[in-house]
Amino acid sequence: MRRWQVLGCVGMLLAGQAGAQVPYVALEQRLDPRALAEVGLTPAQLQTLNRLLRQAEAEAPASVAVAAAPAAGPGVPTPSPMFPGLDEGPINAKVTGQVDGWAPGTVFTLDNGQQWQVLKGEMTLKTARSNPEIVVVPGIAGRWFLQVDEDLPKARVFRIR
């Protein structure tokens, strides 16, 4: 089991080396001698593995540069973002009307015409606010949060209109 863990670490080291321009460091210098001994590589195997890793590192920058340049042109779809919503910026607006708090189901109408409904979160403000400035900020996986004041908890919202 330990052998596979160390070999997995070697694979991660190799993958990490692909984007870095750092000179190769032998495994004997990277790993704890005890961990290296647990792997059970002979000196010849260790030498071969270091040689292969050096070669892969030398070849990696060229292959990474080719892979990093996608073919762009008409009709070529752009890849979807890894975390939908995070590539979108926050929405700064004013709520039309008075805000004294929120609970699931509360609908906020903004001065830009958008409507956002509270999905999660509950708050009662100490003093009601008339036409407050708010920020609707994107979260991970398409979630959105409405912030009335940076010192108060945010309400999780979704856009209705």
Side-chain angles (χ1 to χ4, degrees):
M1 180 64 175
R2 181 74 177 160
R3 171 180 267 179
W4 292 111
Q5 290 173 336
V6 172
L7 290 176
C9 289
V10 169
M12 291 188 325
L13 288 170
L14 178 59
Q17 290 290 328
Q21 295 295 330
V22 181
Y24 179 77
V25 178
L27 291 175
E28 299 93 320
Q29 295 172 351
R30 294 184 190 196
L31 300 175
D32 179 357
R34 188 181 53 171
L36 195 56
E38 286 182 30
V39 174
L41 295 176
T42 66
Q45 291 173 326
L46 187 58
Q47 184 180 9
T48 303
L49 184 56
N50 276 321
R51 181 180 49 80
L52 291 172
L53 290 172
R54 272 191 196 91
Q55 287 174 348
E57 181 183 272
E59 296 169 2
S63 62
V64 169
V66 171
V76 177
T78 58
S80 61
M82 184 173 290
F83 299 109
L86 285 180
D87 59 336
E88 301 176 38
I91 300 167
N92 293 299
K94 286 187 175 187
V95 174
T96 56
Q98 190 155 332
V99 177
D100 55 359
W102 58 85
T106 304
V107 175
F108 290 97
T109 303
L110 307 183
D111 61 354
N112 62 8
Q114 295 178 356
Q115 285 188 331
W116 294 82
Q117 185 173 355
V118 176
L119 183 64
K120 287 185 178 180
E122 191 169 333
M123 181 72 167
T124 303
L125 301 176
K126 289 183 180 180
T127 58
R129 299 180 185 190
S130 181
N131 301 322
E133 290 188 19
I134 57 98
V135 181
V136 183
V137 294
I140 198 165
R143 293 182 172 101
W144 288 88
F145 299 90
L146 187 132
Q147 177 178 320
V148 175
D149 186 333
E150 64 183 26
D151 295 331
L152 297 176
K154 298 178 183 81
R156 180 159 168 219
V157 294
F158 64 95
R159 188 170 171 186
I160 314 174
R161 178 171 60 128

